[in-house]
Amino acid sequence: MHEIARGPVTVEYAPDEGARKAIAAELAVVSVKALQAKVVVRAWLDGAELSGEIDAIVEQTCSVSLDEFDEPIRTQFSIRVVPAGSPHAPLPETSEIELDAEADDPPDVLDNDVIDVEAYVLEHLALELDP
């Protein structure tokens, strides 16, 4: 996270064919024909904010007809992260959880000072897949 102290950092992610095959296996889809992402990482409080755009084509199998089809995915995401021990980290969960659909998501807590941009891209790609 030291690099973002000097200003926003742009990370472009475009995995090669071998990496896309591994991603397809991880996501349990036929293939990932194309995947590009651009993520801007900027300082936020004592952590960082990631704002990303994902453009992908994922080949899936229809659960009804078993035909394969391409699903184009274009999405944007924004997430905040803080280091462990941050005063801005979410409080430990209690037995009752209050949900506010209008509130921002709490920041993710990092295990170390490294932000795994690829993991956030793949997480948000997975969230966009048509079940």
Side-chain angles (χ1 to χ4, degrees):
M1 291 202 323
H2 310 351
E3 293 84 15
I4 62 173
R6 295 186 293 256
V9 174
T10 300
V11 178
E12 296 196 17
Y13 177 66
D16 62 19
E17 185 177 346
R20 289 194 316 270
K21 283 182 181 181
I23 293 166
E26 183 179 329
L27 297 177
V29 297
V30 176
S31 69
V32 176
K33 292 184 173 183
L35 174 56
Q36 295 181 336
K38 181 178 179 180
V39 181
V40 177
V41 184
R42 62 180 52 85
W44 178 76
L45 300 174
D46 59 343
E49 179 179 48
L50 290 77
S51 299
E53 298 175 0
I54 301 171
D55 190 9
I57 299 173
V58 177
E59 184 179 12
Q60 296 196 69
T61 302
C62 177
S63 61
V64 176
S65 68
L66 300 179
D67 291 334
E68 294 178 354
F69 66 97
D70 288 349
E71 179 181 3
I73 296 173
R74 294 195 114 179
T75 189
Q76 297 178 341
F77 69 91
S78 181
I79 191 162
R80 295 174 174 156
V81 297
V82 293
S86 168
H88 306 289
L91 297 173
E93 291 185 19
T94 60
S95 59
E96 278 189 43
I97 299 175
E98 287 186 36
L99 299 176
D100 182 354
E102 301 299 316
D104 289 336
D105 288 339
D108 281 358
V109 179
L110 299 172
D111 294 331
N112 53 45
D113 285 345
V114 177
I115 300 171
D116 188 350
V117 173
E118 176 184 359
Y120 285 111
V121 168
L122 297 181
E123 175 184 334
H124 284 86
L125 175 62
L127 290 171
E128 293 297 318
L129 292 175
D130 185 356

